[in-house]
Amino acid sequence: MRKIVVTSGKGGVGKTTVTATLGRKLAKLGYRVVLIDGDVGLNNLDVVTAIERRVVYDMSDVLAGKCRAFQALVSDTQSPMKILPSSKDSTLLTAQAFRGIVDGFSDFDFVIIDCPAGIEHGFHRAVSAADEALVVTTPSASAIRDADKVIALLSGYRLADVSLVVNRIRADMVVRGEMIGASEIGSLLHTPPIGVIPEDDMITLYQQLGSSPQNCVSDRAYDVLADNVANRTKNFVDIGFRRRFWKWR
């Protein structure tokens, strides 16, 4: 079982979308995947995956003994992936209790935790349950600065790997020198990027439907990310220099 936390220093960088889409890609590759919404109070993983109307139990019910963890899982609508909805109440959700829930899914190949944005208590609770981390950032200066703070905090944990996902890249702007490229962001943060996701208007549209768009500009990018995660590789295509790559697919 691989336990991966998907985190970011700043909200609004697409962390939950990356979590959901990566999970679906891995599940479609044949891996047993469960997503855990670790964001108490500001959770929206159930909305992004369109399962909010089918939630019967959540994490707080598991902690209160009202159900077992596997009974609270909700099946994804687009893949064999399972989702554990966030808790409505944080009083029982200690770091130890959260780790117990995560470790209980040992039958799965991947447990992917959607971490709360920022570096408060919820961040540390989620990271303490993981063995690996994916840090999501956009090319904006504020997002990169916050990602740098998160990576510094992650160094204090015994994680087997910390990698970077650069989201919402505009290849045309990178080429014109109007946006920093993924390679340079990776160099600034001293963290290898294993996913470079281009700006994609279809993502915003499909988020309202709770599904992942197929054959869109970002689809191939997520294939590369999933392949890197599955095989523990660090290959990526910097779309600032390979613009036509995405048009071929």
Side-chain angles (χ1 to χ4, degrees):
M1 175 179 65
R2 292 174 59 186
K3 299 175 287 185
I4 304 174
V5 63
V6 182
T7 183
S8 67
K10 180 179 177 62
V13 299
K15 172 181 55 62
T16 299
T17 299
V18 169
T19 302
T21 310
L22 172 61
R24 283 170 170 165
K25 289 289 187 181
L26 290 170
K28 290 178 181 179
L29 288 174
Y31 295 102
R32 293 165 296 177
V33 180
V34 59
L35 301 189
I36 297 181
D37 193 342
D39 195 349
V40 177
L42 296 175
N43 55 300
N44 60 7
L45 185 61
D46 57 339
V47 176
V48 170
T49 53
I51 65 162
E52 71 274 20
R53 294 183 180 180
R54 296 190 288 117
V55 173
V56 177
Y57 298 111
D58 62 22
M59 201 180 303
S60 61
D61 295 315
V62 176
L63 294 172
K66 296 180 181 179
C67 68
R68 296 184 179 181
F70 76 89
Q71 293 175 310
L73 295 179
V74 182
S75 297
D76 184 33
T77 58
Q78 286 195 295
S79 73
M81 180 178 72
K82 305 293 185 182
I83 301 141
L84 178 63
S86 178
S87 176
K88 299 173 184 175
D89 182 8
S90 62
T91 55
L92 297 175
L93 192 57
T94 63
Q96 182 177 1
F98 188 74
R99 286 195 298 271
I101 290 176
V102 172
D103 291 339
F105 293 117
S106 57
D107 290 340
F108 287 84
D109 299 308
F110 288 94
V111 178
I112 304 178
I113 305 164
D114 186 25
C115 182
I119 54 175
E120 304 304 325
H121 177 69
F123 166 85
H124 294 283
R125 179 178 60 223
V127 173
S128 68
D131 296 324
E132 305 171 49
L134 290 178
V135 180
V136 181
T137 186
T138 62
S140 72
S142 59
I144 295 171
R145 182 180 62 183
D146 289 347
D148 187 46
K149 295 176 183 177
V150 164
I151 290 169
L153 288 173
L154 292 175
S155 66
Y157 289 85
R158 295 182 178 179
L159 297 173
D161 183 73
V162 177
S163 296
L164 187 67
V165 177
V166 182
N167 196 24
R168 297 176 182 166
I169 281 278
R170 283 276 304 274
D172 57 334
M173 294 181 67
V174 174
V175 171
R176 293 196 301 267
E178 299 169 352
M179 177 180 285
I180 187 171
S183 294
E184 190 173 354
I185 293 173
S187 297
L188 287 171
L189 297 177
H190 305 289
T191 305
I194 64 169
V196 183
I197 314 299
E199 182 72 63
D200 190 350
D201 292 337
M202 293 297 291
I203 288 291
T204 303
L205 173 63
Y206 273 75
Q207 272 187 333
Q208 301 174 27
L209 304 175
S211 59
S212 300
Q214 301 294 317
N215 301 317
C216 62
V217 67
S218 64
D219 191 48
R220 173 58 181 154
Y222 276 110
D223 286 336
V224 174
L225 172 60
D227 184 72
N228 277 326
V229 170
N231 297 300
R232 301 179 188 268
T233 51
K234 303 288 184 178
N235 305 314
F236 82 103
V237 177
D238 193 336
I239 61 176
F241 298 96
R242 296 286 301 278
R243 288 178 294 172
R244 295 179 61 190
F245 177 88
W246 305 109
K247 296 179 181 180
W248 292 344
R249 299 301 192 272

